[in-house]
Amino acid sequence: MPLFKVAIVGAGPAGYFAAQALHNQQNEDRTFAIDMIERLPTPWGLVRSGVAPDHPKIKTVSKVFEKIAADPNFRLFANIEIGSEISVAQLKEKYDAVVIATGSHLGKSLGIPGEELPGSLSAADFVPWYNSHPDYVDVKVPLDCDTAVVIGAGNVAMDVARMLALEPSELDPTDTADHAIDAFKASAVRDVYISARRGPEHAAFTSPELRELPKLEHTNVVINKADIDAAIVRAGAEPEKEVKSNLDAMLLIAESQKSEHERTMRFLFQHTPKQILGTDRVEGVVYSTPSGDVTIKCGLVITAIGYQAAGIDGVPFENGKVVNIDGRVNENLYVVGWAKRGPSGVIGTNKSDAAAVVELMISDLKTPKAAGDISQLLTHQVVVDQSAWQKINEAEVAAGEPKGKPRVKSVKRDELLKLGLS
Ligand code: NAP
């Protein structure tokens, strides 16, 4: 039976769902041997270093990933970076097809004065910092101020605002990095603004996330009811289902505001950031609003206004994405997930996206021609394979047990390698 060899670069949700789609397409005419290659010593991508730690349910999708990885025709090559020592061209020679699934992890910038000041950072740095990503442990997050501003009206902005406005002991039973829990416990931040440049009817939040906010036990969540009333009028008699659901959720918050807590998360709409003030560090944000300029004094600004993909040598990039048509890049090179379509959609969106690209790939694959695999390209690299990853995984989970946490993640590459390879 023809066996096609496929390399998937990137072990995040899009990569695993591409592997799953390949498994699902096996029949008497074809089987697939899948090698998944990952730059970090650990797989799972955003499920490990992006999803908010106070949302553990979203992370249960990792069980699906591990089931995919248990297939005898699946191999993990983690701790291997493609594009530097091993090129995409070399992979293309070895495999019948190569799938880029590297996501987009660079934060977009506002392009306004003051954005470079200490105390102004991107969610693309803040989120992996609190999620123990080894490359972001040293990110400077000044929490010695009473007010923080989060710019953007999407789910990442909401995750970031919630992490800043939570009572930090709520993070004790989570897998938040210890260095971040310590910093949040010492934090002076009590007021967190989350600012949207357009009205509530255009917010990119999703309603399940909005509906969770009133459940915060130690945080006042404040939305101005007049903002929502005006948005309902602007949205008209028959708003789209998602818009209506969002406005209903926001109205509920606006009508049942709490004020008894020390910590507050406050929504601002129709606030377009114009300038970040400060000399040695952030001191405030100037917004233009329908009623003129408004300044919010703050010592920390986090922008959560979208992501773009980082380039990989040998892969065409444009506008923060891999250049592709429906996932085809060029001969035997494909792309899935955020690197393909940009940073949109929830984790599950990657499933149908990857399945569609795999269908195209199968229509291109005629007879197997693969001449080897990545193991012939490795020289001095230290590989974390599936069994080494399982050792890391088990050690992290075991370290969490006595503390009542799902896991304690190691934050250093050499520690991770020691756990996996000793
Ligand atoms: P997003 O949903 O695209 O939201 C980006 C936000 O940034 C929008 O409100 C946008 O406003 C705003 N923005 C863009 N440029 C701006 C500028 N120059 N000035 C001010 N605001 C600006 O992106 P995201 O929050 O990064 O999320 C990415 C994807 O991951 C989304 O599909 C999201 O739902 C998903 N996600 C899901 C979860 C979850 O399910 N729990 C958690 C996190 C992320 P405009 O609309 O005005 O452009």
Side-chain angles (χ1 to χ4, degrees):
M1 188 193 306
L3 173 79
F4 294 95
K5 291 186 179 173
V6 180
I8 298 174
V9 182
Y16 278 103
F17 285 131
Q20 186 185 53
L22 286 163
H23 286 159
N24 292 344
Q25 290 281 358
Q26 296 189 117
N27 56 29
E28 55 286 347
D29 294 331
R30 57 179 175 254
T31 51
F32 295 100
I34 299 165
D35 287 345
M36 181 176 273
I37 306 159
E38 163 63 44
R39 168 177 98 77
L40 288 177
T42 53
W44 300 359
L46 276 187
V47 169
R48 183 174 167 96
S49 61
V51 170
D54 63 330
H55 279 170
K57 264 196 209 148
I58 298 179
K59 299 189 189 208
T60 54
V61 70
S62 59
K63 292 204 178 96
V64 176
F65 300 164
E66 288 307 291
K67 205 166 158 212
I68 296 164
D71 188 283
N73 273 339
F74 177 100
R75 297 188 300 179
L76 177 69
F77 291 82
N79 201 40
I80 303 295
E81 180 145 16
I82 298 301
S84 46
E85 292 174 17
I86 297 171
S87 69
V88 172
Q90 284 175 304
L91 283 186
K92 286 178 67 177
E93 269 172 30
K94 293 282 178 209
Y95 288 87
D96 290 296
V98 175
V99 182
I100 302 294
T102 45
S104 35
H105 70 274
L106 304 175
K108 285 190 182 152
S109 57
L110 288 164
I112 60 172
E115 205 175 359
E116 69 299 334
L117 282 167
S120 157
L121 61 151
S122 167
D125 297 323
F126 179 62
V127 172
W129 170 76
Y130 63 62
N131 272 328
S132 307
H133 190 304
D135 295 351
Y136 294 83
V137 179
D138 296 324
V139 169
K140 299 272 171 290
V141 184
L143 294 167
D144 55 347
C145 48
D146 55 13
T147 305
V149 164
V150 182
I151 295 174
N155 285 334
V156 171
M158 200 188 315
D159 282 349
V160 163
R162 213 178 50 249
M163 289 297 286
L164 288 167
L166 275 172
E167 157 59 47
S169 59
E170 291 182 50
L171 297 173
D172 285 338
T174 72
D175 63 2
T176 310
D178 283 344
H179 60 247
I181 294 187
D182 291 347
F184 289 133
K185 285 188 175 169
S187 167
V189 173
R190 294 296 178 268
D191 284 308
V192 179
Y193 288 87
I194 176 164
S195 71
R197 62 178 168 179
R198 297 193 283 162
E201 71 279 25
H202 298 295
F205 311 125
T206 51
S207 59
E209 277 62 34
L210 283 165
R211 287 182 196 284
E212 287 216 342
L213 288 180
K215 297 181 197 154
L216 289 176
E217 282 181 37
H218 304 281
T219 308
N220 309 314
V221 181
V222 176
I223 294 182
N224 184 352
K225 186 168 177 299
D227 286 341
I228 308 304
D229 290 342
I232 290 171
V233 172
R234 287 194 298 267
E238 288 179 26
E240 280 175 30
K241 195 169 146 245
E242 290 77 18
V243 172
K244 179 169 181 345
S245 184
N246 264 5
L247 290 175
D248 287 350
M250 287 190 258
L251 189 61
L252 212 64
I253 297 171
E255 285 176 338
S256 54
Q257 295 182 15
K258 297 176 274 185
S259 58
E260 69 267 32
H261 302 302
E262 200 192 334
R263 297 161 197 272
T264 300
M265 184 200 285
R266 207 177 291 274
F267 286 70
L268 300 172
F269 293 101
Q270 297 182 297
H271 276 56
T272 303
K274 207 172 152 182
Q275 186 181 357
I276 298 178
L277 300 174
T279 40
D280 300 328
R281 63 171 288 180
V282 167
E283 289 170 23
V285 181
V286 183
Y287 288 99
S288 82
T289 78
S291 48
D293 283 2
V294 168
T295 299
I296 305 281
K297 285 189 181 165
C298 63
L300 173 66
V301 175
I302 300 185
T303 44
I305 59 167
Y307 293 83
Q308 45 195 354
I312 301 177
D313 276 354
V315 180
F317 271 82
E318 204 173 69
N319 300 325
K321 290 187 283 189
V322 173
V323 179
N324 74 93
I325 298 174
D326 298 332
R328 274 193 189 106
V329 181
N330 53 37
E331 202 198 338
N332 82 337
L333 185 64
Y334 301 85
V335 60
V336 292
W338 280 12
K340 165 184 172 248
R341 64 176 197 277
S344 66
V346 294
I347 288 168
T349 313
N350 294 301
K351 192 170 173 170
S352 49
D353 178 281
V357 177
V358 162
E359 278 203 17
L360 276 184
M361 180 198 294
I362 286 170
S363 70
D364 293 343
L365 289 173
K366 302 299 177 218
T367 47
K369 63 164 186 57
D373 58 51
I374 187 169
S375 52
Q376 290 124 22
L377 301 173
L378 299 171
T379 48
H380 58 283
Q381 293 88 347
V382 178
V383 179
V384 173
D385 63 10
Q386 183 62 21
S387 70
W389 157 239
Q390 274 164 357
K391 280 197 200 170
I392 298 174
N393 195 11
E394 282 160 18
E396 288 188 342
V397 171
E401 263 167 31
K403 297 179 174 180
K405 295 171 183 278
R407 68 176 61 236
V408 174
K409 290 183 220 162
S410 298
V411 295
K412 292 194 176 139
R413 280 168 189 262
D414 53 355
E415 275 175 20
L416 288 162
L417 293 180
K418 215 186 286 171
L419 290 178
L421 303 172
S422 57

